Structure formats: structure tokens, C-alpha cells
Amino acid sequence: MLKNKHIILGITGGIAAYKSASLARLLVKAGAEVQVIMTPSAREFITPLTMSTLTGKPVITEFFTANTGQWNSHVDLGLWADAMVIAPATACTIGKMANGIADNMLVTTYLSAKAPVFVAPAMDLDMMRHPSTVHNIEKLRSYGNYIIEPAEGELASHLIGKGRMEEPENIVRVLTNHFAEKDLTGHHILITAGPTFEKIDPVRFIGNYSSGKMGYAIAEEAASRGARVSLVSGPVDIRVNNPAIELIPVESARQMLDACVALYPQCDCGIMCAAVADYAPDHQATHKIKREHEDVPVIKLVKNPDIAKTLGEMKQPGQLLVGFALETDNEEFNAIEKLRKKNLDMIVLNSLRDAGAGFGTDTNKVTIFTASGRTIATPLKSKTEVAHDVIDTIISIAHEP
Ligand code: C5P
């Protein structure tokens, strides 16, 4: 998506400027042409030499080059760019951008830019929540600029809070999504992700190791291609990036089922990625079960509803349903059985026997089986790439005669 795209990378004077080197590297690796513009104080944090070496282009900081008198045209740069990303963006630069204070090359170019502008703030937590910063960021949003929200975590001040610049990989993802082909515009997709937690008592549950990474990657991929996504997710530790994703957090299989049954009739496609617990305790203790009991407590389990199977029974002509199968043996046979029994149009098989596939990893190795009899085997890939393949295959099924 970023191949041959012209990207202006604006760097301002914050400690997170060291991450701009990785960002430039990733953008260049993705095929983009990157022109770095630094504010004068950014040069105190990272050298122009580092940035020009990584991008293969001289860095611009001044309105003109002192020894040659050559003028750096902010107007030409503004027209050249397909996107401008300012990372890190300090409170000072955000304030200047919000109020048109064009006293350096970066803000002047910002005012001339016709392309979309992405702003990745980075600052201390108190600066971040100061009404002045909040107001300025809102102003940038109102100008149509995209704010790449900072993450929570330990800051340079050693305080913990919101203000860490988003990781370069995620900034690249936001840009990639922006340029992605919008072939799912007008479609509504339901996705389940993560584990389910089945309560034993107020402090204990039965759960599993599902990280939710695969389901969230599919949600981001579908949303970046223009779909409206309803993501029904069990408890996981992942943030949603695309505003087209509506997150419906649930805990138990029952709650997941209720949310899915309500949503599926409005959707074109359901993608069942969740690792739903097969069993739940038959009742939940209202108070914490105490260790001092004479007898070891016995937890009686009852079967959980099969969400995919329920949706398979509800499925109407024109709707699609996709399942996942995580198998340890007889993989192909079991996956195709599930495809049939749950009335799926496609199933994505991953084997726990494959290194790098399954729970918690950032990679996956899958084989896709379609109800029409096609088999698509892929090598080990990142979950983002697998998500791309899954969506491509769903689109190809929708076009099958
Ligand atoms: O039967 P099994 O759990 O292996 O099937 C896996 C597929 O079925 C996955 O797509 C999973 O999300 C879905 N599933 C479900 N509800 C269950 C069990 C599995 O939706 N209770």
C-alpha cells in the first residue's frame, strides 16, 4: 500500500524522536519515499545524519540552506506529499499547528499540505491532559487531521500514564490502512475474538490462552478495506485502532452468543475466531469459595452453546459464515467435518503441531477449506498477512457462481 507513496515525516523535539528512526526505516522498507522535516529542537534529540542515511534524502530543517542560499519550498513539499506524518508531535508543535504559528519549516509545510496529515502526540501525561493540549488536539481533529493516540505506559519522566508515542509498527499500520483498497465498503462483518471466561465464583474462572490477536487482525483488515465491523470480544489485552470497528466486550460464551445472535441478521458475514470455552460451571458461587472447606469442592460442568453452529442455523441466503479450527491431529478431516456440521462457507485450519501457529504468537500457518471444495494452504506468515488472505478468500467465495 505504501509503495512509491511520498511521505513527509515531521519530527519534533521530544525524547520519542529516537523512535522516528525506526519509523523512517519501516516506511522505506514498505516502499515509500520519505522526506524528513525536523524542527530545530528535534536536532537535539536525533541527528539529521541518522535520518538522511535511513531515508536516502537530505533532511530539511531550515527555510533555506545557509551556504548555498537554496530555498526549501514548503509549497512544493506540501504538493509533493501523499501523506504527512508528524511523529513525535510535541505539545508545542501541536499548539503551533492548531493556531497557524508558522515559524519553522515543519509547521509551514503543514499549512501548505494538501495531503492527509497524521499526528502522533508524545509528551508527559500532565502535558497531555492539560486543557490547552486537549483543546489543540480537538482543533486538529476538526481540521480533518488524524490523531494517532499515544499509548499508556512508562514515560521518559518515569511517571506512568498516557503520552507514549504509538509504536512505529502501529503508525505504519495506520498509514497502510489509509491507502488500502476499500473493497468492503457498505458491508457489515461480525467477528468473534479472544477467549471466553466462565465464572466459578466472583474471583475465579475457567478460561484459555487465546490472545485474540488473529480475530483483532481480521477486524483491522476488514475495517481498513471499508467494512463496518462488530467485534464481539472476550477478555484480551489488545486495543482497536480503526474507528470503523465497534467493540462489544463480553466475558462468557452465553454473553458472546447473545451479542452474536442479535447482530448476525444485520451482517453480510460472520467470522468466528473466538476460542469459546466448551464447558461452563453449572452455577456460579455468589461468594468466594473458601479454602477452609472440609471437602475439596467439585465443579460440575455444563455444555456451552456452539455460537458458530447457532449462526449456521440462522444463516440466510446471501450471508456467509466462516469458522476457525485449531487441531492437534487428523487436522484436515476434523476441519472439514466442522465446516459441514456448522454450515460454514469456509474454515481456517491451524495446527498446534506447526511451530509459530496458534495461541499468543504473532504468526500463523493456516490452510483454508471452502464449502465449494477449494483448499488454500499458506506458509507461516504474520497474523496481519493471514488476515489479508482470509478476507481475500471470503471475497472470492462471495463471487463464486
Ligand atoms: O468445535 P470447535 O470448537 O473446534 O470449532 C471451532 C469453531 O467454532 C471456531 O470458529 C469457533 O469460534 C467456533 N465455536 C463457537 N462456539 C463454540 C465453540 C466453537 O462459535 N462454543
Side-chain angles (χ1 to χ4, degrees):
M1 299 304 161
L2 297 179
K3 205 164 169 44
N4 300 326
K5 289 278 183 279
H6 294 169
I7 305 220
I8 293 177
L9 171 56
I11 306 176
T12 71
I15 190 67
Y18 77 92
K19 291 189 189 172
S20 308
S22 309
L23 178 56
R25 180 91 190 87
L26 291 171
L27 290 170
V28 169
K29 234 175 127 186
E33 240 184 89
V34 180
Q35 174 63 62
V36 171
I37 305 179
M38 294 170 89
T39 60
S41 68
R43 288 179 297 190
E44 308 288 338
F45 291 88
I46 188 160
T47 71
L49 179 62
T50 304
M51 298 313 301
S52 65
T53 309
L54 288 172
T55 59
K57 274 183 190 294
V59 167
I60 298 172
T61 24
E62 307 292 351
F63 289 107
F64 61 90
T65 310
N67 53 351
T68 61
Q70 186 197 328
W71 185 55
N72 294 317
S73 168
H74 55 90
V75 179
D76 288 350
L77 278 168
L79 292 173
W80 172 84
D82 294 308
M84 181 168 187
V85 50
I86 298 157
T90 55
C92 173
T93 293
I94 289 171
K96 288 182 183 178
M97 289 164 66
N99 295 289
I101 301 170
D103 67 346
N104 64 35
M105 190 63 191
L106 178 54
V107 181
T108 314
T109 307
Y110 163 72
L111 293 180
S112 299
K114 295 223 180 314
V117 178
F118 298 83
V119 183
M123 62 195 80
D124 203 48
L125 74 164
D126 291 313
M127 293 176 86
M128 188 69 211
R129 61 186 172 206
H130 192 279
S132 155
T133 313
V134 172
H135 187 66
N136 286 331
I137 288 180
E138 274 323 302
K139 268 190 171 179
L140 294 188
R141 273 193 227 277
S142 75
Y143 303 158
N145 301 157
Y146 299 93
I147 306 298
I148 303 175
E149 288 285 340
E152 305 230 354
E154 190 177 345
L155 306 168
S157 59
H158 300 299
L159 295 172
I160 311 272
K162 187 172 170 177
R164 280 170 68 95
M165 186 178 97
E166 184 53 284
E167 293 306 323
E169 290 78 7
N170 290 336
I171 296 177
V172 172
R173 192 172 305 144
V174 171
L175 288 170
T176 309
N177 287 347
H178 180 81
F179 290 110
E181 193 192 342
K182 305 283 183 252
D183 51 359
L184 289 177
T185 303
H187 293 284
H188 186 177
I189 299 184
L190 168 66
I191 299 172
T192 65
T196 62
F197 284 2
E198 311 298 332
K199 256 192 187 161
I200 298 170
D201 69 14
V203 294
R204 302 181 181 93
F205 60 86
I206 296 172
N208 61 64
Y209 291 120
S210 169
S211 63
K213 284 180 181 171
M214 193 64 249
Y216 276 65
I218 294 178
E220 293 289 348
E221 171 72 16
S224 71
R225 291 166 73 158
R228 174 181 162 205
V229 176
S230 294
L231 176 60
V232 182
S233 172
V236 295
D237 195 17
I238 314 179
R239 285 186 315 149
V240 157
N241 291 314
N242 196 309
I245 303 173
E246 183 204 6
L247 181 68
I248 300 115
V250 295
E251 215 174 88
S252 67
R254 277 257 148 231
Q255 291 168 351
M256 189 173 271
L257 175 78
D258 291 346
C260 289
V261 166
L263 283 161
Y264 190 52
Q266 311 146 38
C267 295
D268 308 293
C269 179
I271 307 175
M272 306 286 99
C273 264
V276 184
D278 290 321
Y279 300 98
D282 74 337
H283 81 280
Q284 295 161 8
T286 45
H287 297 283
K288 185 179 168 194
I289 300 170
K290 294 272 189 293
R291 194 152 33 121
E292 293 77 39
H293 273 302
E294 285 286 293
D295 307 318
V296 177
V298 173
I299 300 169
K300 187 164 175 264
L301 299 176
V302 289
K303 242 188 166 162
N304 261 337
D306 188 324
I307 302 165
K309 192 159 183 282
T310 309
L311 299 193
E313 285 157 8
M314 290 168 61
K315 194 168 70 173
Q316 295 294 319
Q319 280 187 306
L320 294 178
L321 190 61
V322 174
F324 272 71
L326 181 67
E327 303 291 336
T328 52
D329 49 76
N330 249 342
E331 290 96 332
E332 181 168 339
F333 176 81
N334 287 335
I336 292 173
E337 270 294 288
K338 274 172 199 168
L339 174 94
R340 204 178 47 75
K341 282 194 181 145
K342 299 187 191 213
N343 192 22
L344 306 174
D345 298 282
M346 161 178 149
I347 194 154
V348 184
L349 164 70
N350 45 92
S351 169
L352 269 188
R353 286 201 287 190
D354 287 323
F359 286 167
T361 61
D362 288 322
T363 52
N364 209 352
K365 183 171 183 295
V366 303
T367 309
I368 300 174
F369 301 98
T370 71
S372 57
R374 282 192 289 146
T375 303
I376 300 139
T378 60
L380 190 70
K381 292 182 174 188
S382 72
K383 284 188 171 167
T384 308
E385 289 170 299
V386 173
H388 187 80
D389 292 346
V390 166
I391 295 290
D392 274 355
T393 315
I394 294 173
I395 292 175
S396 76
I397 291 177
H399 290 127
E400 276 174 3

